């Protein structure tokens, strides 16, 4: 009897963890893909959890799911479970080794500059003893490092077509036109792609997804900007824009209000740029290879970008 109750409790806790994944991916289909289960199987698990708790956790509005107050409470409990699980693993590691726990992340150069700083800050604030190392390379190189288990997981700005690598979408990125606030072109009421023709610009050095995407847009619209510099540092580009009275195209994921304010820059929304998207994904190898602490860090990384996506979509953000 006790064994049956223990198994039932473990099953319920696992179903609560699945509920958190559904909430963070905003749909059963996306959550099922992330969990590598079928959508009907995931639906049955959520229905079972509702039966065991004796209360509805979601309102089903057409194909959309909306948390009930009880569902919100259960989701908050799931986050607490995740936090306690992470703390447990961190403390457990202290018994395994006197060294601080280390996470090695593979990332492309642009991903290192746009995506990792916020993630690393959040991770180290939550886990002060965690040491994070980063190895840079192109997307296919990061995929190879993942397969060879030389990194715990990778973050790349593309999908990886390799059956031995699991690819989990984190967010979509777009390019945005960035100009000094005093630039003459801002006197126009509305800008289009045609305004980039002959525009003095500072671009990122060739060889990355970001520069490839930029060049493809230029070719697509028959544009020939006046490229003044090519630099492999977003920070250097941002600092030089005002001095060179030039514009640039930067990923939305890099742009922060404080960054724009400190450098007296202005972002121009251009419809054609917003239609060109690139998906940043987390990649990892065979789940059976992953240590429990690595699986936890992967879950935290996915949740971090899910929260950031909801914040950016919120009114007034």
């Amino acid at each position: 009897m006790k064994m049956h109750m223990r198994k039932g409790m473990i099953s319920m806790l696992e179903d609560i963890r699945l509920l958190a994944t559904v909430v963070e991916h905003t749909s059963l289909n996306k959550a099922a893909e992330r969990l590598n289960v079928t959508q009907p199987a995931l639906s049955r698990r959520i229905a079972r959890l509702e039966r065991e708790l004796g209360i509805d956790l979601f309102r089903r509005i057409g194909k959309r799911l909306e948390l009930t107050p009880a569902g919100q409470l259960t989701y908050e409990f799931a986050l607490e479970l995740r936090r306690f699980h992470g703390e447990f693993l961190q403390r457990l590691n202290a018994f395994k080794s006197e060294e601080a726990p280390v996470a090695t992340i593979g990332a492309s150069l642009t991903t290192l500059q746009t995506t990792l700083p916020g993630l690393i800050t959040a991770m180290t604030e939550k886990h002060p003893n965690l040491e994070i190392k980063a190895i840079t390379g192109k997307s296919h190189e990061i995929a190879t490092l993942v397969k060879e288990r030389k990194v715990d997981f990778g973050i790349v700005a593309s999908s990886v077509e390799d059956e031995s690598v699991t690819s989990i979408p984190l967010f979509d990125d777009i390019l945005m036109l960035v100009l000094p606030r005093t630039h003459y072109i801002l006197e126009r009421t509305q800008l289009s792609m045609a305004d980039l023709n002959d525009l003095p610009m500072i671009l990122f050095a060739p060889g990355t997804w970001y520069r490839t995407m930029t060049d493809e847009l230029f070719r697509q619209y028959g544009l020939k900007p006046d490229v003044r510099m090519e630099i492999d540092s977003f920070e250097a580009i941002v600092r030089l824009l005002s001095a060179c009275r030039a514009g640039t195209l930067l990923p939305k994921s890099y742009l922060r209000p404080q960054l724009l304010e400190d450098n007296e820059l202005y972002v121009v929304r251009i419809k054609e740029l917003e239609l060109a998207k690139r998906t940043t994904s987390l990649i990892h190898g065979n789940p059976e290879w992953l240590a429990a602490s690595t699986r936890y860090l992967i879950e935290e990384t996915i949740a971090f970008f899910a929260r950031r996506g909801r914040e950016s979509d919120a009114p007034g953000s």
Side-chain angles (χ1 to χ4, degrees), residues 10-49 57-58 65 67 71 74-75 77-79 81-82 299:
I10 292 172
S11 177
M12 179 184 291
L13 293 176
E14 178 65 16
D15 288 346
I16 289 174
R17 185 183 70 82
L18 298 183
L19 176 138
T21 304
V22 172
V23 173
E24 289 161 357
H25 286 76
T26 70
S27 80
L28 281 169
N29 283 333
K30 291 179 181 178
E33 290 178 9
R34 161 70 184 94
L35 296 165
N36 196 29
V37 299
T38 65
Q39 189 270 337
L42 182 57
S43 295
R44 287 194 296 271
R45 295 285 292 273
I46 297 300
R48 182 178 70 181
L49 178 61
L57 302 175
F58 289 100
L65 294 177
L67 279 175
T74 306
Y75 174 58
F77 176 64
L79 295 181
L81 282 177
R82 184 183 289 163
E299 288 182 356

Side-chain angles (χ1 to χ4, degrees), residues 25 36 53 61 64 100 131 143 170 181 193 229 251 279 310:
H25 286 76
N36 196 29
L53 295 176
I61 306 172
R64 186 166 59 87
E131 179 183 346
L170 295 176
R181 289 180 183 171
M193 289 295 289
M229 298 182 187
T279 300
R310 289 196 297 272

Side-chain angles (χ1 to χ4, degrees), residues 118-315:
L119 174 64
I120 291 175
T121 298
M123 289 289 193
T124 52
E125 284 180 354
K126 190 170 184 180
H127 309 290
N129 293 328
L130 176 64
E131 179 183 346
I132 297 179
K133 295 182 178 180
I135 298 178
T136 61
K138 295 179 180 178
S139 293
H140 71 275
E141 293 170 339
I142 300 302
T144 299
L145 292 175
V146 164
K147 288 192 293 185
E148 295 176 351
R149 301 173 67 181
K150 293 180 179 177
V151 298
D152 294 312
F153 60 90
I155 299 180
V156 296
S158 62
S159 59
V160 176
E161 302 298 330
D162 191 320
E163 292 183 356
S164 62
V165 173
T166 299
S167 182
I168 304 167
L170 295 176
F171 64 91
D172 288 333
D173 214 353
I174 60 174
L175 296 177
M176 306 189 82
L177 176 62
V178 182
L179 295 162
R181 289 180 183 171
T182 57
H183 200 286
Y184 70 90
I185 203 171
L186 293 176
E187 296 175 1
R188 304 178 190 177
T189 56
Q190 190 171 357
L191 297 180
S192 66
M193 289 295 289
D195 292 304
L196 301 184
N197 205 40
D198 294 327
L199 180 70
M201 299 192 78
I202 301 175
L203 299 181
F204 202 81
T208 64
W209 73 266
Y210 153 70
R211 179 57 190 272
T212 299
M213 190 173 178
T214 301
D215 291 343
E216 286 175 355
L217 283 166
F218 290 156
R219 284 194 293 271
Q220 181 180 350
Y221 292 96
L223 305 176
K224 292 185 178 180
D226 179 8
V227 180
R228 300 290 177 87
M229 298 182 187
E230 295 176 311
I231 305 173
D232 63 357
S233 165
F234 287 140
E235 182 181 358
I237 291 174
V238 163
R239 292 189 175 188
L240 286 167
L241 290 178
S242 292
C244 297
R245 295 186 59 79
T248 191
L249 296 180
L250 290 176
K252 181 182 178 182
S253 59
Y254 179 70
L255 300 174
R256 301 285 182 273
Q258 194 62 49
L259 175 76
L260 299 172
E261 183 177 339
D262 291 345
N263 292 277
E264 298 185 340
L265 301 175
Y266 187 80
V267 172
V268 180
R269 302 187 74 120
I270 296 179
K271 179 181 177 182
E272 291 84 355
L273 289 177
E274 296 185 5
L275 293 176
K277 296 181 179 181
R278 187 82 173 204
T279 300
T280 292
S281 302
L282 182 148
I283 60 174
H284 64 77
N286 189 329
E288 295 180 359
W289 297 346
L290 302 178
S293 56
T294 299
R295 287 198 297 271
Y296 171 71
L297 288 175
I298 288 173
E299 288 182 356
E300 277 211 330
T301 299
I302 295 168
F304 170 81
F305 287 107
R307 287 194 302 272
R308 201 170 75 169
R310 289 196 297 272
E311 290 167 1
S312 66
D313 291 338

